[in-house]
Amino acid sequence: MKMKLKVGMISGSALILLAACGGTDTTTNDSATSTKESTANSMASSSTTESASSESSASKNFEGKSFSVTYEQAIADFQEAYPNAAISSIDFDKDFGKYTFEINGFDDTQEIEWEVNAEDGKETKNNTEKKDADFDDQELMVDDLMAIDELITKSEKEAPNAVLVSWNLEADDDTKTPLFTGEFEEGNNEVDVHLNAETGEFLSVEND
């Protein structure tokens, strides 16, 4: 009888230990699940905040308009029309009430001025003329430039309270450095932010 009692006591103790271990595993799993959910919620919140910030920034520039023609598409269309031409400058500006991409270029014999309406994709200018003897425009190496959205974002940081109304890309006549100029309005003031268009390096700010 005594032997049987001891065995029963040992079995009961083992069951208690197993139950305790099982409870610990459940707690650990619940804790891990809670941590994962918290992390996921935090990432989702961060993503939403960044998206809202990006949309807010985009909406204040260029009157909050969206465009059917991108910077990359404008360049591709120009190069298709003039496959042997070099690009010397690109302007994104408002022309006669409409935002346009104006691309200036040249080849061995002529100067080219081409423009497309960024809002509806219609070609609005396509002029060529014989190259002058004193022509000295520099080629803008568009394939080497930083993405236009990154340049815009970097320029906005230098004029945080202003609104971007236009921008320009061209190579400096003296240094051959590719330049990005963001043209901002802040109240009645005009602010021009100059960046190295290849590296994004800040160069200067001009206030008028």
Side-chain angles (χ1 to χ4, degrees):
M1 290 292 291
K2 290 180 179 180
M3 290 292 290
K4 289 182 180 179
L5 179 60
K6 288 180 179 179
V7 170
M9 291 177 65
I10 292 171
S11 299
S13 299
L15 289 171
I16 292 171
L17 287 171
L18 285 171
C21 290
T24 301
D25 289 344
T26 301
T27 302
T28 302
N29 290 339
D30 290 345
S31 177
T33 300
S34 177
T35 301
K36 288 179 180 178
E37 289 177 353
S38 177
T39 302
N41 290 337
S42 176
M43 291 174 66
S45 175
S46 175
S47 176
T48 301
T49 301
E50 290 176 3
S51 177
S53 175
S54 177
E55 288 177 4
S56 175
S57 175
S59 65
K60 74 175 185 177
N61 297 325
F62 313 121
E63 303 173 314
K65 293 185 177 182
S66 58
F67 304 102
S68 63
V69 179
T70 65
Y71 161 80
E72 293 82 5
Q73 186 61 51
I75 292 175
D77 289 348
F78 174 86
Q79 292 175 331
E80 182 178 359
Y82 298 98
N84 298 317
I87 292 174
S88 56
S89 68
I90 304 172
D91 289 278
F92 184 76
D93 202 351
K94 198 171 185 179
D95 189 16
F96 295 105
K98 300 292 183 181
Y99 284 96
T100 64
F101 287 100
E102 180 178 312
I103 300 180
N104 289 294
F106 60 92
D107 57 24
D108 292 338
T109 61
Q110 62 185 354
E111 300 175 42
I112 305 160
E113 188 178 19
W114 181 87
E115 184 181 81
V116 63
N117 186 321
E119 298 180 38
D120 60 21
K122 294 181 180 178
E123 186 179 281
T124 52
K125 189 184 296 182
N126 192 349
N127 300 329
T128 61
E129 63 179 46
K130 186 177 179 180
K131 188 189 292 184
D132 291 335
D134 59 352
F135 181 84
D136 61 354
D137 283 8
Q138 302 297 318
E139 180 176 3
L140 184 67
M141 307 301 289
V142 293
D143 291 339
D144 297 334
L145 305 185
M146 182 174 285
I148 194 66
D149 289 344
E150 293 182 35
L151 290 169
I152 289 174
T153 298
K154 287 180 177 293
S155 68
E156 287 176 322
K157 292 179 180 178
E158 306 299 333
N161 300 316
V163 177
L164 184 63
V165 295
S166 64
W167 55 259
N168 167 266
L169 283 166
E170 63 182 341
D172 183 84
D173 291 337
D174 298 322
T175 65
K176 312 297 189 294
T177 302
L179 301 177
F180 170 89
T181 300
E183 299 171 356
F184 294 82
E185 287 183 355
E186 186 174 356
N188 295 323
N189 298 323
E190 293 182 4
V191 181
D192 290 347
V193 177
H194 304 288
L195 306 175
N196 182 316
E198 197 169 71
T199 65
E201 177 188 1
F202 168 71
L203 299 176
S204 64
V205 170
E206 295 179 13
N207 292 277
D208 292 330

